[in-house]
């Protein structure tokens, strides 16, 4: 447990350093007219630092720009069950700024997700969520992960799929698109062992 806490402490510090650098770069750009969520563009140095955030998996970072009406951001993980998305976990963070950075670190989603949110170089939140024990979780024969590649418009209260991951005992996986989040019954027809989706949503309602 002490080792896990030590590693989490190092990861937290690394996230603060990386997010400060990225937000400083964002601050030099003009504020877009619309609210956007987009894949963060990283330099080689920033990519190396991002790798420290998820030493056993992969780090994925997204920039977001919102207006003063947005009061919270929510990250939700779903698993596809019986043709419907079953909510796995959901966490909300209050927002008080116009720009931010979202970090997601994971290898296989069932093993857990490390999340981090940095807001206007002032407020930061990092969290590690283990979902299944080592006994419950086993390495899949095949794993495919898709992520948001193109900027998405932020519409209050509407979920934006940013990650889709497929785990299967077979050797071949036909990649699904993020749009399958809006048509879970079609995704179910592929018959994969497990399918997960991570969404991000922004709300104008203050977090209580």
């Amino acid at each position: 447990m002490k080792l896990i806490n030590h590693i989490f402490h190092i990861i937290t510090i690394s996230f603060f350093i990386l997010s400060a650098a990225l937000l400083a770069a964002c601050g030099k750009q003009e504020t877009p007219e619309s609210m956007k969520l987009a894949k963060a563009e990283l330099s080689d140095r920033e990519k190396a630092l991002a790798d420290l955030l998820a030493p056993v998996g992969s780090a994925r970072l997204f920039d977001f720009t919102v207006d003063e009406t947005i009061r919270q951001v929510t990250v939700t993980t779903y698993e596809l069950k019986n043709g419907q998305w079953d909510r796995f976990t959901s966490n909300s963070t209050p927002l008080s700024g116009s720009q931010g950075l979202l970090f997601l670190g994971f290898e296989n989603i069932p093993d857990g997700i490390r999340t981090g949110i940095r807001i206007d170089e002032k407020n930061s939140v990092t969290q590690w969520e283990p979902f299944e024990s080592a006994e419950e979780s086993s390495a899949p024969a095949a794993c495919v992960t898709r992520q948001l590649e193109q900027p998405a418009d932020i519409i209050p209260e509407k979920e934006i799929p940013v990650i889709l991951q497929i785990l299967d005992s077979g050797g071949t996986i036909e990649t699904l698109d993020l749009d399958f989040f809006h048509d879970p019954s079609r995704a179910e027809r592929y018959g994969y062992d497990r399918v997960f989706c991570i969404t991000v949503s922004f709300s104008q309602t203050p977090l209580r």
Side-chain angles (χ1 to χ4, degrees):
M1 182 62 69
K2 290 183 178 179
L3 177 60
I4 294 176
N5 290 337
H6 179 64
I7 293 175
F8 181 71
H9 180 66
I10 294 174
I11 290 171
T12 299
I13 294 174
S14 301
F15 174 67
F16 289 166
I17 296 173
L18 175 62
S19 57
L22 289 175
L23 285 174
C26 290
K28 298 177 182 179
Q29 303 173 356
E30 294 183 4
T31 302
E33 296 180 359
S34 59
M35 299 189 292
K36 296 284 186 180
L37 175 69
K39 177 182 176 182
E41 298 297 331
L42 307 180
S43 66
D44 290 340
R45 179 174 178 275
E46 291 165 345
K47 288 178 181 178
L49 184 55
D51 288 339
L52 295 176
L53 294 169
V56 296
S58 56
R60 292 172 170 82
L61 296 102
F62 303 91
D63 293 316
F64 61 84
T65 302
V66 296
D67 62 27
E68 68 281 357
T69 67
I70 300 299
R71 307 300 297 276
Q72 64 172 295
V73 55
T74 300
V75 178
T76 304
T77 304
Y78 294 94
E79 181 172 6
L80 185 64
K81 291 185 177 182
N82 301 317
Q84 299 293 328
W85 291 111
D86 182 50
R87 188 167 64 180
F88 209 53
T89 184
S90 184
N91 290 291
S92 299
T93 301
L95 290 183
S96 59
S98 60
Q99 294 181 329
L101 179 73
L102 168 66
F103 161 80
L104 299 173
F106 61 89
E107 187 173 15
N108 295 331
I109 289 177
D111 295 335
I113 300 175
R114 180 172 290 108
T115 61
I117 295 177
R118 178 79 166 177
I119 308 164
D120 285 350
E121 303 183 37
K122 297 178 181 180
N123 302 310
S124 298
V125 177
T126 58
Q127 182 173 355
W128 163 250
E129 285 191 284
F131 296 149
E132 298 179 357
S133 65
E135 291 77 13
E136 295 174 323
S137 180
S138 58
C143 174
V144 172
T145 303
R146 292 288 301 272
Q147 75 171 56
L148 180 72
E149 296 291 344
Q150 300 298 323
D153 291 325
I154 294 175
I155 300 174
E157 325 303 333
K158 182 178 180 179
E159 291 181 276
I160 302 172
V162 296
I163 298 290
L164 183 72
Q165 185 176 81
I166 305 166
L167 308 178
D168 195 71
S169 56
T172 303
I173 291 179
E174 181 177 343
T175 304
L176 304 183
D177 192 87
L178 287 174
D179 286 340
F180 274 74
F181 173 72
H182 303 293
D183 191 0
S185 61
R186 189 157 64 100
E188 179 78 10
R189 290 198 290 269
Y190 283 80
Y192 296 126
D193 291 345
R194 305 185 77 175
V195 180
F196 297 89
C197 189
I198 302 176
T199 69
V200 179
S201 61
F202 297 81
S203 176
Q204 295 173 327
T205 302
L207 185 62
R208 297 178 180 178

